[in-house]
Amino acid sequence: MKFILYLLIITSSVFALPKSHHKQETCGYSSCPEVDSNVLNVHIVPHSHDDVGWLKTVDQYYYGNRQNIQHAGVQYILDSVIQALLKDPERRFIYVETAFFWKWWQEQTEDMREQVKHLVDTGRLEIIGGAWSMNDEAASHYHSTIDQFTWGFRKLEETLGKCARPKIGWQIDPFGHSREMASLFTQFGFDGLFFARLDWRDKNKRLAEKTAEMLWQGSQSLGSSSQLFTSILYNHYMTPPGFCFDVMCPDDPIIDNKNSPEYNAEARANVFLNYVKQQARNYRSNNVIITMGGDFHYQDAMSYFINMDRLIKAVRNLNTNTRIFYSTPSCYLKAVHAENLKWSVKTDDFFPYASDPHSYWSGYFTSRPTSKRFERLGNNFLQVAKQLAVLTGESSSVPALDPLREAMGVMQHHDAITGTEKQHVADDYARIMSEAINTADEFAGKAVKQLYGPDGNFQSCLLLNISQCELTENDDTFIVNVYNPLSRPVSKYVRLPVTKRGHNVINEEGNRQDIQYVPVFDMLANVPGRKSSAKEELVFYADSIPPLGYRSFAVSVVENFIEKKYEEIKEKARVSFQPSGHIKHIRVGDKQFNIQQDFLYYSGASGNNMVFENRSSGAYIFRPKTQQATPVSESVQTTTHAGSLVTEYHMKFNDWVGQVIRVYEKYNHIEVQWIVGPIPVEDKIGKEIISRYSTNINSTDVFYTDSNGREMLKRIRDYRETFPLTHEEPVAQNYYPVTSKILIKDENTGERFAVLNDRAQGGTSLQSGEVELMLHRRLLHDDAFGVGEALNERAYGTGLVATGTIYLHYGSSEGSSSVAEEKYLAQSILLSPWIFIQPMVQANSNSLTDYNFKFSGLKKPLPNNVQILTLEPWGDNTVLLRLEHIFEKDEDATLSSPVSVNIASMFSTFNVLEMNEMALGANQLASAVSRLQWNAQNGDESNIIKKETIERNNMEVTLLPMEIKTFILKVKHVQ
């Protein structure tokens, strides 16, 4: 007999969706106040925007200390708001940041918790957004974004129940908005999105044409199923001018005592109503949303609510053709939907954001590059640790991983991963991440030990990027465990710093691996803060690492080791150079292409920020002093180190810029490790460092960048799809976020050149055939957008040195190999094989046979177009699984096809007993998601993702291009 999945879920006790705390629930749309279709409905929305770190650290904001920096204490906001809501059932409030709410919730009595649940269940306190933090949309990767929403949703579900499930995106402060974010919101089951920041010209045009509300299609592959109603707020997210009633605001209160000489209620109501009518003239609906709040408002909520109560009463007393009431974004959305209007469809994104003619918020795409890399490393390791937890039979959510889950959620905040926070806050973010990774590493090391064998402890080496690892430098014998978090076999060149020669590297079959020693680049060896005496790296090739599995290698220093001699042959050189030392062309395999590369810098503009023309380049803003970049040097010192596994070119441009080009024997791409810093500022000029590649590809004025690591977006130089672009800042206006890849191609010949990166950066193509990425920034002036500090990072007594890796791939669009290779390369950068080290237990030579040197968590690799996005312990004998189709529609002739996988026969360490399909955020059943349907004036009506039934017996799942499916599995681990 066939059983439909969603019927099974209802009766299953496995899936741990908490029951409602109250039998009578009037939350959601059913709790909304009544509107009148014949009048103007004014929705008053009280809210507080609480940054999870910015000018103060997370804890400083929560507890309210360091008030000399900013008067803000989130615990007081929540305390005060709850009391104000309890006094009057008509009042409403929305809250967004689960990180703060969870911290506050843990300190509350059971009686207070019950009162909060009642407010939520009756719709008076509504959770909006619901993620751990309000994430950035430029530098954030979709993998981490999904994770931090899932963690926020889970805490809300555990504490408040289904009435706390968000239905609305509230991205009111991020500095531009990505198309992929809109797509994710639809997959969470959201009905709409509200935001504030977009290009000033775009906003003016939309308000004039009444198109500030639209349907935003988040995915070309997913079609109309990814359309999201999107509303651009009229007055940023602030209160109307003159009506801020926070204790920190100077505005007069509403005085409704007619016997008082200060009586002003009627006059203030008329001013307010005139403002409302002015706003309404810019929108099509007869509903108007009025935001009443701001940054860290409502520390004394009664002050706010008393005055809003009086304002609402005064407006009602005017007896005008309006209806005014407390509301929420959800209720506003419901009312607009009921009008049954048709909406235009937007298919691009809202980058880059410009707040005035000279302020393009494209500097933060690169700001604080080491923090951006640390965040990406954290995601890599979090996925490894969660997978290991499942594969080793953990039956709970693993508390040891919670600090890293939460740290990664904090890091997605729009003042964290962006690099737009004060320095002491950035330091605190690094502390939070370091402590969380160390806690997770202890757990992960034990999990690897459980799979590998009974002895020793495995540890991570987190400073391999600067060639530092105490375990490999100080021990003559050790085990290298290379874990692959991808769903297909991958191969990796392992590089380990060593202080000796003569290493034997033995694989699981007892065979000796070929090795090579390469010198550590001089500039890297001398990087400030490096504590290593290693002058060389041991390199070997770990091929075919099993999916969700590992290969282990026994490494030992042996006496009388005879190292193979490799003869350098000029004809085998892969890189040719100009007389100046700059690159001339590169050959990979049988492919050779002409390319020039150089490091340059833009001088940062400096000014007093009093008028637009005097805007400084800063943490947020990229504004070069001139539109031409300056080369960092005229010539390059290059040293070649050739070998059988890799040929390296160590290139020193000057004392603070260098790179290592690596051409591996078995890779179809070039690896470039760059090192920049300390950026000199003795000349009192801030500098923004770029790497620019020039090819002979005829890309005209078109290039492509990724959207949060998923679908690619077409960019046209000096052009915007929805508004005419002026050209006050020709370079900055063409910079876009590059989360994982920037691409140029020749539409006629099919030639394509892709540059992939290991962290979020800003990038562009200013000329046909060119690609440039911004690597590092050091500036001496604040840009006056709030942070109050220049972006002048220092470490170890000098300017910050940053190092990272970019990957060059050259190919052809003909056939599918190039597109697929780029896709697989991006995956292997994001979820790179993770290296664990264990000092080898001293034993006899036969003891290695007692250990499990090779392991796979999958019975067989998944199809090449399918990836396990998430595998983590969820509860008692339950597992959260996400599968994604990694190709776009029409991206590849073969791999863009629908693909089916069988979950029942997927894993090697556990059996799947039951499965429930969930919404993307794993907080509700997929079958229960019912989104509001909107009428489109235009747009793609195809490729609607339909709910499908899944047979219980075979658990076969079909994925369409770019589709993500989420499941909670009931499992039984194999002994």
Side-chain angles (χ1 to χ4, degrees):
M1 178 182 294
K2 296 182 178 180
F3 295 90
I4 305 303
L5 173 62
Y6 66 82
L7 294 177
L8 289 172
I9 298 171
I10 297 173
T11 59
S12 174
S13 62
V14 171
F15 302 105
L17 294 179
K19 297 179 180 179
S20 169
H21 300 284
H22 298 274
K23 292 183 179 179
Q24 294 182 346
E25 295 172 347
T26 54
C27 57
Y29 296 134
S30 63
S31 69
C32 291
E34 184 180 348
V35 299
D36 186 340
S37 61
N38 298 313
V39 302
L40 180 64
N41 297 279
V42 184
H43 297 250
I44 302 296
V45 178
H47 78 99
S48 179
H49 176 59
D50 300 341
D51 290 304
V52 186
W54 178 38
L55 306 183
K56 304 199 293 189
T57 69
V58 179
D59 277 8
Q60 288 169 356
Y61 269 137
Y62 179 76
Y63 291 110
N65 55 331
R66 299 294 300 274
Q67 299 289 56
N68 60 311
I69 297 176
Q70 186 179 11
H71 190 84
V74 175
Q75 63 174 337
Y76 310 129
I77 294 171
L78 288 167
D79 285 342
S80 182
V81 164
I82 297 304
Q83 294 304 318
L85 292 177
L86 290 171
K87 287 182 179 297
D88 186 344
E90 191 175 328
R91 293 171 177 171
R92 303 291 183 98
F93 194 83
I94 63 171
Y95 201 71
V96 180
E97 291 82 7
T98 304
F100 281 138
F101 180 81
W102 177 245
K103 187 181 284 285
W104 178 84
W105 178 265
Q106 292 174 298
E107 298 175 349
Q108 303 311 303
T109 65
E110 192 58 37
D111 180 64
M112 175 56 68
R113 291 180 177 185
E114 286 300 316
Q115 293 184 71
V116 173
K117 292 172 187 175
H118 175 69
L119 291 174
V120 171
D121 287 348
T122 54
R124 293 151 64 189
L125 174 62
E126 183 169 333
I127 304 298
I128 300 290
W132 202 245
S133 67
M134 186 184 295
N135 61 280
D136 169 61
E137 299 185 34
S140 59
H141 195 280
Y142 78 96
H143 206 164
S144 295
T145 299
I146 293 172
D147 265 5
Q148 74 113 4
F149 268 89
T150 303
W151 189 243
F153 290 170
R154 179 164 193 177
K155 290 303 179 184
L156 293 170
E157 196 81 20
E158 289 175 355
T159 56
L160 299 174
K162 69 178 184 181
C163 280
R165 294 175 189 168
K167 293 284 288 181
I168 302 295
W170 186 252
Q171 294 288 100
I172 58 173
D173 201 28
F175 325 127
H177 301 277
S178 73
R179 194 178 74 174
E180 182 60 32
M181 195 70 226
S183 177
L184 295 180
F185 279 138
T186 64
Q187 296 173 71
F188 289 138
F190 283 20
D191 283 325
L193 165 66
F194 294 81
F195 68 77
R197 298 186 189 269
L198 72 163
D199 189 286
W200 64 278
R201 289 154 294 206
D202 196 6
K203 183 173 184 178
N204 289 344
K205 183 172 183 287
R206 288 182 178 279
L207 290 175
E209 297 176 352
K210 296 187 177 183
T211 57
E213 294 180 323
M214 73 211 82
L215 298 182
W216 190 4
Q217 184 164 307
S219 169
Q220 289 185 330
S221 298
L222 301 180
S224 59
S225 67
S226 66
Q227 289 178 358
L228 180 72
F229 181 83
T230 301
S231 180
I232 298 166
L233 297 174
Y234 181 73
N235 186 38
H236 203 53
Y237 53 82
M238 309 305 290
T239 59
F243 292 89
C244 178
F245 305 122
D246 191 68
V247 291
M248 299 302 293
C249 292
D251 298 344
D252 290 338
I254 306 297
I255 302 172
D256 60 358
N257 181 358
K258 292 184 178 181
N259 295 322
S260 171
E262 302 297 325
Y263 172 75
N264 64 6
E266 184 176 351
R268 296 294 303 281
N270 276 301
V271 172
F272 179 82
L273 195 56
N274 287 335
Y275 176 89
V276 168
K277 290 178 178 178
Q278 174 59 43
Q279 176 175 332
R281 284 192 282 271
N282 294 276
Y283 292 81
R284 298 175 59 212
S285 166
N286 67 345
N287 290 272
V288 176
I289 183 170
I290 302 295
T291 52
M292 296 296 289
D295 291 359
F296 298 97
H297 281 198
Y298 291 84
Q299 293 180 77
D300 180 0
M302 288 306 298
S303 172
Y304 237 123
F305 276 106
I306 287 172
N307 283 281
M308 288 188 294
D309 291 345
R310 292 172 179 170
L311 177 62
I312 290 172
K313 179 181 176 181
V315 172
R316 288 172 177 171
N317 288 340
L318 294 177
N319 295 318
T320 58
N321 199 31
T322 59
R323 182 178 178 86
I324 184 170
F325 43 82
Y326 285 113
S327 187
T328 67
S330 301
C331 294
Y332 170 80
L333 197 73
K334 176 191 177 186
V336 172
H337 178 262
E339 295 185 64
N340 203 31
L341 302 172
K342 284 193 173 183
W343 305 95
S344 62
V345 177
K346 179 180 175 65
T347 57
D348 60 341
D349 64 5
F350 289 95
F351 285 120
Y353 163 53
S355 54
D356 63 60
H358 296 279
S359 297
Y360 281 89
W361 297 49
S362 50
Y364 81 92
F365 300 161
T366 299
S367 297
R368 300 194 189 276
T370 56
S371 295
K372 285 178 165 63
R373 176 55 192 161
F374 199 15
E375 182 278 333
R376 197 63 59 84
L377 189 75
N379 177 68
N380 193 164
F381 187 53
L382 178 58
Q383 307 314 316
V384 168
K386 292 193 298 188
Q387 291 177 9
L388 286 169
V390 172
L391 297 174
T392 54
E394 288 290 340
S395 60
S396 68
S397 61
V398 189
L401 301 184
D402 290 356
L404 187 51
R405 289 182 170 113
E406 295 176 5
M408 287 300 297
V410 168
M411 285 303 297
Q412 304 317 304
H413 175 60
H414 59 271
D415 283 306
I417 193 172
T418 55
T420 54
E421 70 276 32
K422 283 185 178 292
Q423 184 60 54
H424 83 279
V425 180
D427 295 341
D428 192 61
Y429 285 144
R431 176 195 63 82
I432 293 170
M433 283 288 291
S434 296
E435 292 177 358
I437 288 177
N438 289 337
T439 300
D441 190 40
E442 184 176 350
F443 166 82
K446 293 177 180 177
V448 173
K449 171 187 170 183
Q450 183 176 334
L451 295 170
Y452 170 78
D455 299 318
N457 290 309
F458 283 94
Q459 301 174 45
S460 301
C461 285
L462 298 177
L463 295 177
L464 290 176
N465 65 321
I466 59 170
S467 193
Q468 177 178 321
C469 178
E470 182 179 352
L471 293 173
T472 63
E473 294 174 42
N474 296 339
D475 292 333
D476 288 347
T477 60
F478 51 88
I479 299 295
V480 178
N481 181 286
V482 188
Y483 180 85
N484 170 25
L486 293 176
S487 306
R488 56 183 175 81
V490 298
S491 301
K492 178 182 177 65
Y493 283 93
V494 177
R495 306 176 64 94
L496 303 171
V498 292
T499 55
K500 298 179 181 178
R501 285 199 167 200
H503 290 86
N504 249 346
V505 179
I506 305 299
N507 62 25
E508 70 276 5
E509 297 175 351
N511 297 326
R512 177 182 169 187
Q513 299 279 131
D514 288 338
I515 67 166
Q516 181 182 340
Y517 294 100
V518 294
V520 176
F521 184 32
D522 289 346
M523 296 184 70
L524 198 65
N526 296 317
V527 68
R530 182 174 183 262
K531 300 176 181 178
S532 171
S533 58
K535 303 296 184 184
E536 290 185 312
E537 290 185 324
L538 168 68
V539 181
F540 65 90
Y541 186 57
D543 64 313
S544 300
I545 308 166
L548 268 65
Y550 65 75
R551 290 186 67 194
S552 293
F553 302 86
V555 181
S556 59
V557 176
V558 298
E559 295 181 4
N560 302 317
F561 178 85
I562 301 176
E563 184 179 344
K564 291 184 179 179
K565 298 295 182 181
Y566 301 107
E567 194 174 325
E568 185 177 341
I569 304 173
K570 276 190 175 182
E571 286 71 22
K572 293 183 71 174
R574 304 295 183 90
V575 180
S576 297
F577 298 93
Q578 304 173 39
S580 64
H582 292 85
I583 298 171
K584 182 178 181 181
H585 64 248
I586 293 177
R587 177 164 57 90
V588 180
D590 58 353
K591 301 175 184 177
Q592 178 171 299
F593 58 102
N594 297 324
I595 184 170
Q596 297 180 4
Q597 184 263 344
D598 206 353
F599 289 98
L600 308 95
Y601 68 87
Y602 293 104
S603 297
S606 61
N608 61 14
N609 299 308
M610 299 301 292
V611 295
F612 295 156
E613 292 83 358
N614 288 338
R615 180 71 65 193
S616 293
S617 198
Y620 301 95
I621 305 305
F622 168 41
R623 188 176 182 227
K625 187 175 182 179
T626 66
Q627 304 307 307
Q628 299 299 318
T630 303
V632 300
S633 65
E634 296 299 324
S635 60
V636 186
Q637 300 175 19
T638 301
T639 305
T640 302
H641 303 276
S644 63
L645 302 182
V646 60
T647 296
E648 294 194 353
Y649 305 90
H650 294 195
M651 305 176 67
K652 185 175 182 180
F653 287 72
N654 59 27
D655 289 339
W656 50 277
V657 175
Q659 68 181 9
V660 178
I661 297 177
R662 297 188 176 103
V663 184
Y664 288 102
E665 189 68 25
K666 296 183 182 295
Y667 283 172
N668 289 327
H669 62 269
I670 300 290
E671 183 179 297
V672 182
Q673 182 178 8
W674 53 268
I675 181 168
V676 176
I679 299 173
V681 291
E682 292 80 9
D683 56 3
K684 307 301 181 183
I685 298 175
K687 298 174 182 64
E688 319 196 36
I689 315 305
I690 65 169
S691 180
R692 179 180 291 166
Y693 295 88
S694 302
T695 74
N696 57 2
I697 292 176
N698 182 24
S699 58
T700 64
D701 56 357
V702 176
F703 59 105
Y704 301 82
T705 63
D706 68 284
S707 182
N708 302 115
R710 286 207 96 206
E711 296 186 55
M712 299 296 291
L713 286 175
K714 182 179 182 179
R715 309 297 190 184
I716 302 176
R717 192 163 50 251
D718 299 327
Y719 173 78
R720 300 292 188 270
E721 183 175 320
T722 55
F723 63 94
L725 185 65
T726 54
H727 304 291
E728 293 86 355
E729 299 291 336
V731 174
Q733 72 184 21
N734 287 301
Y735 256 71
Y736 290 89
V738 180
T739 314
S740 64
K741 182 171 75 170
I742 183 170
L743 168 74
I744 57 173
K745 59 184 178 181
D746 188 322
E747 297 292 349
N748 296 318
T749 66
E751 285 184 293
R752 53 193 288 139
F753 175 60
V755 181
L756 295 89
N757 52 7
D758 66 349
R759 74 202 68 191
Q761 295 167 322
T764 188
S765 174
L766 296 176
Q767 301 288 336
S768 178
E770 278 188 2
V771 170
E772 70 179 57
L773 283 175
M774 186 175 289
L775 307 179
H776 196 0
R777 317 175 71 218
R778 188 181 186 188
L779 299 163
L780 303 180
H781 298 271
D782 179 38
D783 52 22
F785 281 106
V787 73
E789 288 182 357
L791 185 66
N792 184 9
E793 293 184 276
R794 295 176 61 82
Y796 302 102
T798 186
L800 179 71
V801 178
T803 183
T805 306
I806 56 180
Y807 305 81
L808 313 179
H809 189 279
Y810 180 86
S812 172
S813 297
E814 297 179 1
S816 62
S817 60
S818 289
V819 176
E821 285 175 2
E822 291 169 14
K823 190 77 68 172
Y824 302 148
L825 177 57
Q827 278 195 307
S828 66
I829 297 168
L830 176 71
L831 295 179
S832 178
W834 194 268
I835 295 175
F836 293 96
I837 306 294
Q838 179 203 77
M840 191 184 300
V841 177
Q842 297 299 317
N844 61 62
S845 59
N846 296 324
S847 66
L848 294 181
T849 60
D850 298 332
Y851 298 90
N852 187 9
F853 264 57
K854 190 174 183 179
F855 166 81
S856 178
L858 298 182
K859 291 181 179 178
K860 62 179 181 180
L862 297 188
N864 285 337
N865 48 3
V866 177
Q867 166 66 15
I868 292 177
L869 179 66
T870 305
L871 182 68
E872 66 175 289
W874 195 247
D876 292 340
N877 299 311
T878 59
V879 169
L880 178 64
L881 170 70
R882 286 192 185 94
L883 299 173
E884 66 169 330
H885 195 306
I886 65 173
F887 282 82
E888 300 178 37
K889 182 182 73 171
D890 301 326
E891 190 174 27
D892 184 280
T894 302
L895 295 169
S896 291
S897 302
V899 58
S900 297
V901 295
N902 190 293
I903 294 177
S905 60
M906 188 174 291
F907 299 99
S908 65
T909 65
F910 60 87
N911 296 320
V912 180
L913 306 179
E914 295 182 33
M915 57 185 280
N916 284 335
E917 185 173 0
M918 311 297 290
L920 180 62
N923 64 336
Q924 57 185 318
L925 304 172
S927 60
V929 174
S930 179
R931 298 179 58 233
L932 297 179
Q933 299 301 304
W934 302 82
N935 301 317
Q937 292 177 349
N938 59 304
D940 185 5
E941 295 295 333
S942 63
N943 301 305
I944 298 176
I945 303 299
K946 299 178 180 178
K947 295 185 179 71
E948 64 172 319
T949 60
I950 303 172
E951 296 182 9
R952 180 180 184 183
N953 292 337
N954 60 27
M955 299 186 185
E956 187 95 351
V957 175
T958 299
L959 295 162
L960 303 180
M962 282 289 107
E963 190 175 13
I964 301 173
K965 289 196 172 184
T966 303
F967 304 92
I968 295 180
L969 311 178
K970 181 179 180 180
V971 303
K972 182 178 181 180
H973 282 84
V974 178
Q975 298 298 322

